[in-house]
Structure formats: structure tokens, C-alpha cells
Amino acid sequence: MSNNKLTVAITGMNAKPDNPGPGLAVSRCLTESDNFSGRVIGLSYDALDPGLYLKDYCDVGYLLPYPSSGDDAFLERLTEIHEKEHIDVFIPCLDAELPSIIRLNSVINEMGIKTFLPTAEQFRLRNKDKLVELSKLAGIDCPRIEAISNTQFFYECQDDNWTFPLVVKGLFYDAKIVYNPEEAIIAFKSIAAEWGFPVLVQEFVKGGEYNLTAVGDGEGNMIGAVMMKKMAVTDKGKAWAGVTVLDNKLYEASHQLIKALNWRGPLEVEVLKDTKGNYNLLEINPRFPAWIYLSHGVNRNLPMALIKLAMNETPPDYEDLKPGILFIRYAQEVIVPMSKFENLVVNGIND
Amino acid sequence: MDNLQGSKELYQRLALSENGFVFDPVSGQSFTVNETGIELLRLLQKSADIQQVQKALTDIYEAQPNELERDINDFTSSLSELMS
């Protein structure tokens, strides 16, 4: 395999137990693969992101400027890091950074860094406010959803046949179930403050959540699909435990979406199966999920497949997906000398 | 998902272990059943015909046919709800 000595840069090395970033799990997939003996460069926005200090999964860690600092600041920092580390492949893992990274993709590629990302148009088409159209493509239902910009909606929505509870969601992250207008307004303000406008309001559907992750090859093919049912979730609704399943309807719906969008890159399709057995499309995330380590656990190492595609190589054929393999997340601490923390805060590097 | 109550497809896809642990590879649901439940599930995996299952259970357990029929219906109904 030609990618065993590659240097791979990965973002999303945060690992807050209630809502971890996917970067650390992507790195675990690579570093625990028998076919990878390269280096991982961890990229983060916060010196307290634990992934930057975990030497088994991150050879060197760097701080990046926040996406709000602008494209020039990001490119300048990436260029500095690239000059030192000679990055071969870059895997961004956070929703909020993807618009700017996709916009800069050709510049990043010209620097000699390979990526395997959706186009700006593909990224736009899977936005949360396009879910109704996407669910039609997938041949499944979609909970009623509306983008709002002020709290008056919550006092008037019942006139328009909305009923509480509702789900209040950020455009990139976060979702809160609310049971009355007062709770809804608190959720609206908190989400708007963190993720900006519009805020999305979605019909609450009771049922079990099923997720699929895969890589789209950009030609309509879905590679290495792994499906799981959430068995336990955090307060933020993130998977704390899950089990692999073989769900043909989820598989077909996801395949249809990838085909219709010609999706290029990793993705996660989230559906909710209601108590009557109907499938409802909740979200399409344009990146690997935080539970991606499960793909390594079922011999479908999707980050390795992504690297193959980025290197213009053919990903392997996988054996059939094994149902009944669980993941159970846990939280633990990494011990960090002050000098390491200081180096990250002052110089933006932990080497 | 379609209503699978009485569906042989549903029963046959279940992974049933000796100790009564049951896993559905499609829904991801798992649960445990007692010895009678194991017996009943094994019969349902062979035949989803309730009459045949009822007859087979009559040979094993001392119970009135109408009582057995009600218990089987309750069991398959709960199973269907759990698997959907």
C-alpha cells in the first residue's frame, strides 16, 4: 500500500464527552490500521482539545485560527504548518470549518495537499434547510422543518398546526427538545448566540435513531457503508453506545442520496424510525461522525478508504457488514505538563 | 417498516441464543425471553402459521387451546412492536 508513510492532517481533535469531534476517532482508525504507519498532524482551535496531547493518535498538534478569522489567516497558518510537516492528505472533520475549506480547496490542492471533499454545490444541497427536497430524493419522509429568525414564531406556531414538543436546531450543530414557548425561546437564544441565524425548528418525532456513514466517490457510488442504531445518547443526543445493523431501507435511501448528489467525500446520514416504522430524514452531515471508529471495528476502515480516494487509488472491497457489533464510548483524562499547554497557547504547537 | 406481525421473515432474521438472548440485526433491538419464549420463537422461525405453532405447543404444554392462542398473539404482537 502506498499510503503507509503519508502525513495526514486532521481537524476536530476536541473530545468533550457529551459532543466529541470526529477527529480523534478518525485518527484512531488510521493509527490502528495495519496498513498505516504514517504520521498524524492534529489541528485544533482550542489548546484544551485533548486529541492534541494524545501521542498515540497525534504526532504533532497545532492550533488553527478560528474560521471567523477569515480565509487569509487560515491559509497563512496552513502554509506554515505544511512547510514544517509536508502534509500529504488533509481530512477536515468539523461542519463549521467546511464551507471555508471547500472554498479554498483548489488553493490547498495547489499547495500539494490532497483532499477528498464535496463541492460547494454538493455541500449546499445537503444543508439542513434542504431536508424536505433531500428526503424526496431518498424516498423517505422528513419531519416538518422551518428556518426562523425571531422568537415570535413560538407564540404563533400553534395557529399553523405546529405542536409542542418541538426540536430547535442550529444550522451547523446543536439540537434541543422544547416543550413550551418559554423553553423554545431560551433554546433559540442559546443556539443563535453560538451558531448564528437562521435557527431551525423541526417537528418532534418519537422513535429510534439510525445512522449510516460511508464515503461517496464523487461518481454516485457509496463506499463501505456502516449502519448503526443508537443504543444510548448524551444530553445533546450524541451516540454514547450503538450497535451495527443491516437496514436495507436506510442503505437504499442513503445510496439514492449519494447518487443524486454525486456525493464526494465522507458523510453521515441520520434517520429516525418512528413508532409506526416510517423513516424520517433528520440530517446529512458532510463529514465522518464521531462514532467512525466503529468502521474500523467492523473491518470497514472508512478514513483509510478516504485516504485511498484522495491519493487517486481504489479503496478495497469490503466483506459484508457484520450486524451486532457494539461500540460503547467512555471518557478519560490525559495528563498534560504545563510546558506542553504553554507551548500550544504561546506557539500554537505541541510537538 | 411493514407490519411484520406473523411474518416468517421477521422471526427468521432474529439471532436467538441458547440462554434466551435475542438480537434483531435489522432494528438493532435486543431483549431476553424465558424458556417458553425460546421454544415459541424457535417454532415461529420454522413456521409463522399460528395454528401449527399452537398445535406444537399443545403437545408440549398443558394449556387450553384458546389460552395458548391468546398468549401466542400477545407474544407476536409485543415482538412486532419491539422490532418495528
Side-chain angles (χ1 to χ4, degrees):
Chain A
M1 198 166 184
S2 61
N3 62 18
N4 59 354
K5 294 291 181 192
L6 295 178
T7 297
V8 181
I10 301 169
T11 64
M13 302 299 277
N14 54 316
K16 284 183 181 169
D18 60 349
N19 187 12
L24 191 53
V26 169
S27 178
R28 285 184 83 193
C29 286
L30 299 182
T31 51
E32 293 187 17
S33 165
D34 292 339
N35 297 316
F36 184 84
S37 58
R39 300 172 70 241
V40 170
I41 309 300
L43 305 176
S44 277
Y45 301 95
D46 191 323
L48 284 177
D49 284 357
L52 298 179
Y53 301 97
L54 290 166
K55 284 296 171 190
D56 286 348
Y57 306 116
C58 177
D59 294 278
V60 190
Y62 288 93
L63 286 185
L64 293 174
Y66 278 101
S68 55
S69 308
D71 292 353
D72 290 344
F74 173 81
L75 274 180
E76 191 182 326
R77 181 64 173 148
L78 189 64
T79 304
E80 276 174 18
I81 297 168
H82 184 46
E83 280 170 0
K84 284 185 193 161
E85 305 294 345
H86 307 290
I87 299 165
D88 294 298
V89 180
F90 177 32
I91 308 178
C93 292
L94 300 174
D95 292 2
E97 68 191 3
L98 277 168
S100 60
I101 291 174
I102 289 170
R103 192 167 55 243
L104 297 169
N105 193 34
S106 59
V107 183
I108 294 170
N109 293 160
E110 280 164 20
M111 289 162 65
I113 301 173
K114 292 185 167 58
T115 53
F116 202 77
L117 295 170
T119 63
E121 178 66 0
Q122 288 167 349
F123 185 83
R124 191 186 63 78
L125 286 171
R126 47 63 44 200
N127 263 351
K128 288 181 187 177
D129 55 1
K130 306 273 184 238
L131 282 178
V132 175
E133 294 93 318
L134 289 167
S135 65
K136 284 177 188 158
L137 289 175
I140 59 177
D141 295 334
C142 175
R144 187 179 177 191
I145 192 163
E146 193 163 321
I148 63 167
S149 299
N150 68 68
T151 55
Q152 194 59 31
F153 171 89
F154 298 111
Y155 293 113
E156 296 168 354
C157 64
Q158 291 179 79
D159 298 338
D160 197 20
N161 295 323
W162 289 87
T163 52
F164 284 94
L166 297 169
V167 186
V168 181
K169 303 173 86 168
L171 202 54
F172 291 119
Y173 286 113
D174 220 348
K176 295 181 199 299
I177 299 169
V178 295
Y179 293 86
N180 53 53
E182 288 72 31
E183 282 183 20
I185 289 166
I186 292 168
F188 174 94
K189 287 181 177 170
S190 147
I191 287 172
E194 193 162 4
W195 302 110
F197 292 102
V199 170
L200 304 172
V201 179
Q202 195 172 50
E203 174 193 0
F204 175 77
V205 181
K206 198 174 176 188
E209 199 178 318
Y210 293 77
N211 295 358
L212 174 147
T213 185
V215 178
D217 69 354
E219 294 173 7
N221 300 306
M222 180 166 75
I223 293 165
V226 177
M227 292 170 277
M228 71 93 178
K229 174 189 165 42
K230 287 184 182 178
M231 297 175 77
V233 295
T234 68
D235 288 348
K236 288 186 182 292
K238 305 298 170 186
W240 191 256
V243 60
T244 52
V245 294
L246 292 175
D247 188 316
N248 283 336
K249 194 154 183 181
L250 172 58
Y251 184 94
E252 280 309 320
S254 305
H255 194 191
Q256 287 306 318
L257 285 168
I258 285 178
K259 209 164 144 184
L261 298 173
N262 269 337
W263 187 260
R264 190 173 191 274
L267 92 169
E268 180 193 28
V269 178
E270 296 186 3
V271 300
L272 192 136
K273 198 155 60 166
D274 68 23
T275 47
K276 291 176 184 161
N278 299 314
Y279 288 65
N280 293 269
L281 182 64
L282 293 182
E283 277 184 36
I284 300 172
N285 291 315
R287 49 159 173 80
F288 286 126
W291 56 272
I292 193 62
Y293 184 61
L294 183 62
S295 75
H296 175 61
V298 293
N299 298 321
R300 294 184 158 216
N301 193 319
L302 290 174
M304 287 297 290
L306 187 84
I307 286 181
K308 280 275 193 187
L309 289 162
M311 298 302 293
N312 208 20
E313 297 174 12
T314 309
D317 290 328
Y318 297 106
E319 292 173 9
D320 289 345
L321 176 63
K322 289 181 207 159
I325 306 292
L326 282 78
F327 75 87
I328 305 169
R329 190 167 285 161
Y330 63 99
Q332 61 178 12
E333 299 78 31
V334 54
I335 303 302
V336 179
M338 184 55 78
S339 58
K340 295 274 183 194
F341 180 66
E342 178 188 325
N343 204 24
L344 254 180
V345 171
V346 176
N347 302 313
I349 180 171
N350 178 35
D351 51 8
Chain B
M1 184 186 272
D2 301 328
N3 180 8
L4 286 175
Q5 186 175 359
S7 158
K8 199 171 170 182
E9 183 203 337
L10 181 143
Y11 306 129
Q12 287 188 336
R13 78 186 191 203
L14 296 175
L16 174 59
S17 72
E18 291 294 321
N19 58 16
F21 186 82
V22 185
F23 173 65
D24 177 11
V26 175
S27 70
Q29 298 283 11
S30 56
F31 53 92
T32 54
V33 293
N34 61 16
E35 281 180 27
T36 316
I38 298 174
E39 195 69 52
L40 179 50
L41 269 179
R42 284 192 181 130
L43 288 167
L44 288 166
Q45 285 182 323
K46 286 182 196 157
S47 166
D49 183 332
I50 299 297
Q51 300 303 321
Q52 279 186 28
V53 171
Q54 190 180 325
K55 187 176 178 313
L57 283 178
T58 311
D59 295 340
I60 304 169
Y61 300 103
E62 286 179 11
Q64 294 299 316
N66 59 346
E67 197 182 334
L68 268 178
E69 187 179 357
R70 193 189 60 225
D71 288 348
I72 294 167
N73 280 333
D74 285 350
F75 184 84
T76 55
S77 173
S78 302
L79 194 63
S80 174
E81 204 172 296
L82 202 58
M83 298 293 97
S84 64

